[in-house]
Each structure stands twice: as C-alpha cells, then as structure tokens.
Amino acid sequence: VQLQASGGGLVQAGGSLRLSCAASGRTFRYGSGWFRQAPGKEREFAAAISWSGTSTHYTDSVKGRFTISRDNAKNTVYLQMNSLKPEDTAVYYCAAGSGYGSGPNAYDYWGQGTLVTVSS
C-alpha cells in the first residue's frame, strides 16, 4: 500500500486547509490516521477514522476545528482543518493500518508528509 499526502501549504491564522491522503496498491479495509510533527518536536497524533467512517477520534488540541473523513470509493482520506493556529504548523503524515487509534503502532503504512505552515 502506498500513501500519497497532499494539500499542505502556507495559510494565515484563522484560515483553512484540506489535506488529502490517497492510497494505491493492494488496499484493504484499513483504518486511517493523521499525525503531525512540528519543528523540534516528536510526532504526535492528530486524528483517526475507522474503515467504515462511523468512528473518529481527535486529539484535544484539534477537536472542534479539524474533521477527518474518507471516501472509500476513491481510496482517499481527508483532514479538513479550520480555524488554524500558528501552533498547528507541522509536517502532517497520513497512516493506514488494520486497526486505528492514537498510537503509531496501530498503523503499518505511512505517507511521505505534507507541510502546513500557519502564519500569525
């Protein structure tokens, strides 16, 4: 399974971006997650979604601002990010695995990352 993340860029505080993660290759009924890594910090969990899309999970700092969703017909997972803050600046990575959740060990496959920069 190959994951291709896209949609990052430069945005002003308060703005919005939508990240996409397209899967290709031998896909399966996978859970998906988004993680992020800010400069000088460790990678952290942001959001996750089950294969069916009926279950989602967010870290506290993005609740109410980010929405994770998926279109299984397109093998694509999205992260809609609203009300962005400078502290959201990070490289965002998508991940897929047989399970899903906030721990990176739940995922077997990782995308290459897309940079989100939020200016104040």
Side-chain angles (χ1 to χ4, degrees):
V1 175
Q2 293 80 46
L3 302 177
Q4 179 71 42
S6 62
L10 174 64
V11 63
Q12 288 188 330
S16 298
L17 282 175
R18 188 176 81 156
L19 306 183
S20 298
C21 178
S24 61
R26 186 166 176 252
T27 57
F28 55 99
R29 296 170 65 90
Y30 54 93
S32 297
W34 285 96
F35 289 74
R36 62 186 184 180
Q37 187 166 17
K41 295 187 178 181
E42 294 186 353
R43 190 173 301 189
E44 66 172 5
F45 168 76
I49 188 169
S50 61
W51 164 253
S52 65
T54 57
S55 182
T56 58
H57 181 49
Y58 300 91
T59 193
D60 287 345
S61 62
V62 309
K63 283 180 180 177
R65 300 188 298 121
F66 291 11
T67 302
I68 189 171
S69 62
R70 68 189 306 147
D71 183 341
N72 289 338
K74 296 181 179 180
N75 289 323
T76 302
V77 175
Y78 305 97
L79 185 67
Q80 178 66 44
M81 305 186 296
N82 298 330
S83 302
L84 282 162
K85 304 175 181 180
E87 51 263 44
D88 294 318
T89 295
V91 176
Y92 283 71
Y93 298 90
C94 61
S98 55
Y100 90 106
S102 60
N105 291 338
Y107 303 96
D108 304 302
Y109 305 97
W110 293 82
Q112 84 290 0
T114 184
L115 176 62
V116 172
T117 303
V118 184
S119 63
S120 57

